[in-house]
Amino acid sequence: MGRYSSVQAYSDQQNARTTSYEQEKGNASNSVKTEKVHNPYGSTAGAGSGEFHIYRHARAREQQRLNALDEVEQEQHDEQEFQGKIQGWKSEEEKHLEKKRKKRARGKASKVRKKNLSLSGVAVGSGSDSENDAEEDEFEYTPVNAKHDDNETKE
């Protein structure tokens, strides 16, 4: 056995893995298998001239993905806001229509009532018209100038 009893192997993901000395030497039946590195963008020290372009493209893809997510979220928010406005408009229109519907129903009921009264022999007319006629009979108009003329002629 060598000087050290264990060996540490490192990967780019910064997770340490300890193996026995025999495995590293190849004496054991289980040999160490290499791992594929999925994230080659580690430290920039010693990077070649093409690494920056790889980083730039990866960053652009990530920015594009984030922008697409933001756009989808904004579209959903706008759609939800628009649906809320439509619901408000529909409820307001329904209130307006209901008010007009009730007014039409009152008018129809009034016509039916007047028709039934006229068929039964009761005089049909608006009460305000007959009251105005009575008031007109009681009121006699005398011009202001006529009073002055009468006073002058009597003297």
Side-chain angles (χ1 to χ4, degrees):
M1 194 156 148
R3 192 169 169 192
Y4 300 106
S5 61
S6 66
V7 176
Q8 287 186 343
Y10 294 93
S11 67
D12 285 344
Q13 282 81 20
Q14 300 297 330
N15 53 351
R17 185 169 48 101
T18 305
T19 59
S20 69
Y21 185 75
E22 286 80 20
Q23 283 179 333
E24 290 297 323
K25 282 295 193 176
N27 296 342
S29 61
N30 295 336
S31 62
V32 176
K33 296 178 182 177
T34 59
E35 295 179 0
K36 180 169 174 61
V37 177
H38 297 287
N39 183 12
Y41 320 114
S43 172
T44 57
S49 61
E51 297 298 319
F52 171 72
H53 301 293
I54 294 171
Y55 163 76
R56 184 170 54 99
H57 290 302
R59 184 172 181 273
R61 281 192 304 270
E62 181 65 14
Q63 289 296 322
Q64 186 179 12
R65 186 183 72 85
L66 292 175
N67 289 339
L69 288 175
D70 289 342
E71 287 176 8
V72 167
E73 182 180 356
Q74 183 65 33
E75 286 176 4
Q76 289 175 348
H77 178 264
D78 291 345
E79 181 65 24
Q80 188 176 21
E81 185 177 320
F82 179 68
Q83 292 299 328
K85 282 182 180 181
I86 287 177
Q87 289 295 334
W89 294 336
K90 283 183 179 179
S91 65
E92 186 177 321
E93 183 68 19
E94 186 60 36
K95 287 177 187 176
H96 185 69
L97 290 174
E98 183 63 28
K99 185 177 177 182
K100 289 200 172 220
R101 191 176 299 126
K102 286 181 180 179
K103 187 175 181 180
R104 282 193 307 272
R106 283 194 308 265
K108 287 180 181 179
S110 175
K111 285 183 180 180
V112 168
R113 195 176 328 109
K114 285 181 183 179
K115 183 179 178 183
N116 289 339
L117 286 174
S118 66
L119 290 177
S120 65
V122 178
V124 178
S126 63
S128 61
D129 290 340
S130 61
E131 290 175 6
N132 288 341
D133 291 338
E135 288 178 9
E136 289 177 3
D137 292 339
E138 294 174 10
F139 179 73
E140 186 176 316
Y141 177 73
T142 54
V144 177
N145 294 337
K147 287 184 181 179
H148 293 293
D149 293 335
D150 292 337
N151 290 338
E152 292 176 4
T153 55
K154 292 180 182 178
E155 294 178 3

